[in-house]
């Protein structure tokens, strides 16, 4: 069993910064990647940023490039999202996503887990 816990959200003003954290609990055979998604009211869930767990290669949505930085701490099983120069358009519920491999009857199988989501609100 794997559980993800998100923290660090809140209410800030435009131009401020926040750092989100997502820590996963439980043993995994292999951790492949962790990602951040977000969903604003009335909109579809969209990809924000992701990091390859092994290589630390990162990927960002165009809307957050240059402002957000995703990183991970292997020893702490934690992914971070540093959000700078926040805009009202960044207001959303942010979800942590974990892509991993688990040991199953057919060998290593891919699996996916989601956090409960954490609110980020940016006022103008």
């Amino acid at each position: 069993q794997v559980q993800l816990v998100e923290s660090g959200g809140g209410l800030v003003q435009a131009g401020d910064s926040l750092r989100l954290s997502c820590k996963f609990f439980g043993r995994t055979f292999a951790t492949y990647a962790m990602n951040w998604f977000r969903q604003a009211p009335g909109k579809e869930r969209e990809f924000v940023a992701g990091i390859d767990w092994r290589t630390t290669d990162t990927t960002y949505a165009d809307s957050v490039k240059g402002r957000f930085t995703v990183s991970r701490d292997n020893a702490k099983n934690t992914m971070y999202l540093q959000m700078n120069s926040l805009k009202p358009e960044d207001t959303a519920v942010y979800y942590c996503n974990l892509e991993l491999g688990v040991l199953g009857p057919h060998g290593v199988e891919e699996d996916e887990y989601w956090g409960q989501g954490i609110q980020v609100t940016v006022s103008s």
Side-chain angles (χ1 to χ4, degrees):
Q1 299 185 43
V2 177
Q3 183 179 359
L4 286 73
V5 178
E6 299 139 319
S7 62
L11 172 64
V12 298
Q13 294 183 332
D16 287 350
S17 298
L18 282 174
R19 189 175 80 157
L20 303 183
S21 299
C22 178
K23 182 178 179 65
F24 66 89
F25 299 85
R27 289 287 185 266
T28 64
F29 185 83
T31 303
Y32 296 149
M34 294 189 76
N35 310 283
W36 289 102
F37 289 76
R38 68 186 182 187
Q39 187 168 25
K43 294 186 177 181
E44 296 182 347
R45 185 175 298 187
E46 65 174 349
F47 173 81
V48 177
I51 184 166
D52 183 287
W53 201 259
R54 182 182 65 85
T55 68
T56 70
D57 289 344
T58 57
T59 305
Y60 298 94
D62 289 341
S63 59
V64 306
K65 286 181 179 178
R67 299 188 298 120
F68 291 10
T69 303
V70 63
S71 61
R72 58 84 160 163
D73 187 328
N74 184 54
K76 296 181 178 180
N77 290 343
T78 301
M79 172 183 63
Y80 304 97
L81 183 66
Q82 179 66 45
M83 303 184 293
N84 298 328
S85 301
L86 282 163
K87 304 175 181 179
E89 305 93 273
D90 297 317
T91 296
V93 176
Y94 284 69
Y95 295 91
C96 177
N97 166 265
L98 170 64
E99 302 173 15
L100 54 80
V102 298
L103 187 60
H106 304 290
V108 180
E109 301 176 352
E110 295 185 357
D111 204 356
E112 184 179 61
Y113 288 85
W114 291 88
Q116 294 286 354
I118 188 166
Q119 180 70 47
V120 171
T121 303
V122 184
S123 63
S124 58

